[in-house]
Amino acid sequence: MQPIETFRLKNGMEVVVLPNHRVPAVNHMLWYRIGAADDPQGKSGLAHYHEHLMFKGGKKFATGDYVRLIDKNGGEYNAFTGADATSYYVTIAKDRLPQVMELEADRMRTITVTDDEAAKEKEVIIEERRSRIENSPPALLAEQMSAALFRNHPYHLPIIGWQHEMDGLTKRDVLDFHAKYYHPNNAVLIVSGDITAAELKPLAEKYYGALPRKEIPPRHWLAEPPQIVGRTVTLHHRNVKQPEFSRMYAAPSMVSGDKAQALPLFVLAHLLGGGKNSALYQSLVVEQKIAADIGIDYNFYARGPAAFSIDITPEKDVPLATLEKALDSELAKFLKDGAEPQALDRTKRLMQAEIIYAREGLTSLSNIMGWMIMAGQPAENFNRWPEMIGAVTAGQVVVAARAVLKPEASVTGYLLPEEKP
């Protein structure tokens, strides 16, 4: 059992401590309940732009101090923006933790950035879009498929933003965004490693406790209309050498829609595409030899509607139509017969083992806990996870599969080489 200790500061900031005394270090991960899905209309990419500018400076520490001091003290730092949340994290020696907390509290209070710095960083995120999206055909296809799957909900926006809207982002947009959302009562601090709540609480009160709470605007996300027709997206791109096939299904999550289906769908994702022993890998790669690789992703911790995604790389010279026909045949067979008991038991054991292995890494430990809390799950569910997975039945998996794997609730994507004139 992973020890879990929690407390809350008077200003509303939640704190979770995950003691792990086998590692003489700590991971400080600060989560904010704000992400790309909260970008104002017409300003996609703002949450991500703000994340970048958070490293410029605060009220006390000037530009470059954050990076310089973390490096000087032997720490490793990073951050990421998701659709639902944004996170900043540092792994460092325990006795250097006060320095990290002082830096984070300073930039939670305010960020300071010059016009030149803001302009330069905007070029950085635009170049990031070019390299990660524009020059990556699979990423471009996934972006277009998400835009087709989520017609109304802000999940149809790319996290990094549309470039024509990124071009118009300003420093004032960032400062207003910060003033609106970056407050202790909209944050969760997760610290894992060689520390206890008794040791952390005085530090949290010293550095974060004096920050005032502010009223956080409620999220107003538009709901999705019913899924009544399947859609297809075809992308021809000059960088494509090997075609790829993708399928996205609209699905519930642990927060949105039929929540009872979330865990069975998570098991389903592993059962169908979780490694070389999974059903689709064995059929399409090993037996039929028409696919080179298969991946399935299901973002069941989404606060809004989720996507259940299947990505397949065909073997050379195998038409995507052949691959699609074989996939649909395998899915139809599964929906009719369900999972084999031995395959289901093996899948659940592997999933239970994964969470045990994740406890060995400080960052992975904090990351899993963070997404659980962002999805409104109690911290103690981390320890209940093996039990929760073990309780999923074959009947629940097939019911969830039949509810989600429907053609009318899907987007199918074809990634193909550029057509010759």
Side-chain angles (χ1 to χ4, degrees):
M1 296 286 283
Q2 169 65 50
I4 299 172
E5 301 173 319
T6 63
F7 60 89
R8 186 186 293 266
L9 301 182
K10 291 181 180 179
N11 57 16
M13 185 174 181
E14 297 178 52
V15 183
V16 180
V17 186
L18 305 170
N20 181 349
H21 303 295
R22 290 173 293 178
V23 182
V26 293
N27 176 266
H28 177 286
M29 187 172 279
L30 195 55
W31 292 75
Y32 291 91
R33 291 188 175 92
I34 190 72
D38 303 292
D39 286 340
Q41 188 172 10
K43 296 184 182 296
S44 62
L46 179 57
H48 178 244
Y49 185 29
H50 173 274
E51 175 220 307
H52 276 240
L53 290 182
M54 277 280 279
F55 288 91
K56 294 304 175 184
K59 185 175 182 179
K60 179 178 179 181
F61 295 97
T63 299
D65 281 354
Y66 185 97
V67 172
R68 180 180 60 81
L69 289 169
I70 297 297
D71 285 342
K72 178 182 176 182
N73 286 282
E76 296 180 355
Y77 63 90
N78 214 328
F80 62 82
T81 302
D84 301 337
T86 307
S87 180
Y88 305 84
Y89 53 100
V90 178
T91 301
I92 203 163
K94 177 182 176 179
D95 62 347
R96 301 293 192 270
L97 181 59
Q99 176 75 83
V100 174
M101 299 176 79
E102 185 179 16
L103 287 164
E104 292 290 0
D106 183 54
R107 64 181 186 171
M108 183 190 294
R109 181 180 290 106
T110 185
I111 56 174
T112 303
V113 58
T114 66
D115 292 341
D116 285 346
E117 288 169 341
K120 288 177 182 177
E121 203 61 36
K122 187 161 72 170
E123 287 303 313
V124 169
I125 62 170
I126 289 173
E127 179 57 35
E128 186 178 336
R129 178 178 169 84
R130 291 193 191 106
S131 63
R132 294 188 178 182
I133 308 295
E134 304 293 346
N135 292 328
S136 172
L140 269 179
L141 179 64
E143 182 179 80
Q144 294 298 317
M145 290 177 67
S146 291
L149 186 68
F150 301 112
R151 284 106 2 119
N152 213 28
H153 193 279
Y155 285 171
H156 65 248
L157 297 171
I159 289 173
I160 201 168
W162 300 117
Q163 182 167 338
H164 68 283
E165 294 185 347
M166 296 165 71
D167 288 335
L169 297 176
T170 67
K171 184 179 83 169
R172 174 45 54 192
D173 292 330
V174 170
L175 296 178
D176 289 345
F177 188 86
H178 189 90
K180 200 172 188 179
Y181 296 112
Y182 273 65
H183 303 292
N185 50 308
N186 202 34
V188 178
L189 171 61
I190 300 175
V191 180
S192 59
D194 191 18
I195 196 166
T196 64
E199 294 172 294
L200 181 65
K201 191 171 184 179
L203 295 174
E205 290 174 338
K206 176 181 178 179
Y207 293 108
Y208 297 119
L211 299 175
R213 65 178 293 131
K214 294 288 182 67
E215 190 68 28
I216 306 298
R219 280 170 158 158
H220 292 297
W221 289 346
L222 298 177
E224 278 292 291
Q227 299 271 350
I228 60 173
V229 61
R231 285 133 284 165
T232 61
V233 175
T234 302
L235 175 64
H236 293 270
H237 198 281
R238 63 186 180 278
N239 292 343
V240 173
K241 305 301 180 186
Q242 173 65 43
E244 293 186 22
F245 173 87
S246 297
R247 175 83 57 75
M248 282 185 180
Y249 294 92
S253 70
M254 295 195 80
V255 183
S256 174
D258 188 349
K259 306 174 188 62
Q261 292 181 354
L263 275 177
L265 285 172
F266 195 51
V267 173
L268 175 68
H270 283 71
L271 190 62
L272 293 180
K276 294 184 178 181
N277 287 318
S278 62
L280 291 181
Y281 191 96
Q282 283 293 308
S283 175
L284 303 183
V285 177
V286 177
E287 296 169 11
Q288 299 184 54
K289 295 180 171 44
I290 58 174
D293 196 21
I294 292 173
I296 295 185
D297 182 63
Y298 167 54
N299 56 331
F300 74 117
Y301 277 142
R303 288 203 65 85
F308 189 100
S309 304
I310 303 173
D311 297 295
I312 308 178
T313 302
E315 283 287 5
K316 188 177 180 180
D317 298 328
V318 173
L320 293 189
T322 300
L323 199 62
E324 182 175 10
K325 183 178 179 180
L327 170 66
D328 288 339
S329 176
E330 288 299 316
L331 293 180
K333 179 182 176 182
F334 184 90
L335 296 179
K336 177 178 179 291
D337 301 332
E340 296 180 357
Q342 287 184 335
L344 180 61
D345 288 343
R346 180 179 63 246
T347 297
K348 291 196 294 184
R349 286 197 303 271
L350 288 172
M351 294 175 70
Q352 290 166 335
E354 284 177 1
I355 195 68
I356 295 172
Y357 299 149
R359 295 172 183 172
E360 298 302 315
L362 299 185
T363 302
S364 60
L365 193 64
S366 299
N367 196 50
I368 295 170
M369 179 62 76
W371 283 120
M372 287 179 58
I373 292 176
M374 292 299 107
Q377 301 299 303
E380 55 267 23
N381 273 8
F382 186 92
N383 282 330
R384 293 188 58 241
W385 186 251
E387 172 193 341
M388 293 163 65
I389 292 296
V392 174
T393 67
Q396 290 171 328
V397 172
V398 76
V399 165
R402 289 169 181 168
V404 170
L405 303 182
K406 299 184 295 187
E408 66 270 22
S410 71
V411 176
T412 300
Y414 308 107
L415 185 61
L416 299 167
E418 191 172 52
E419 293 182 312
K420 297 180 179 179

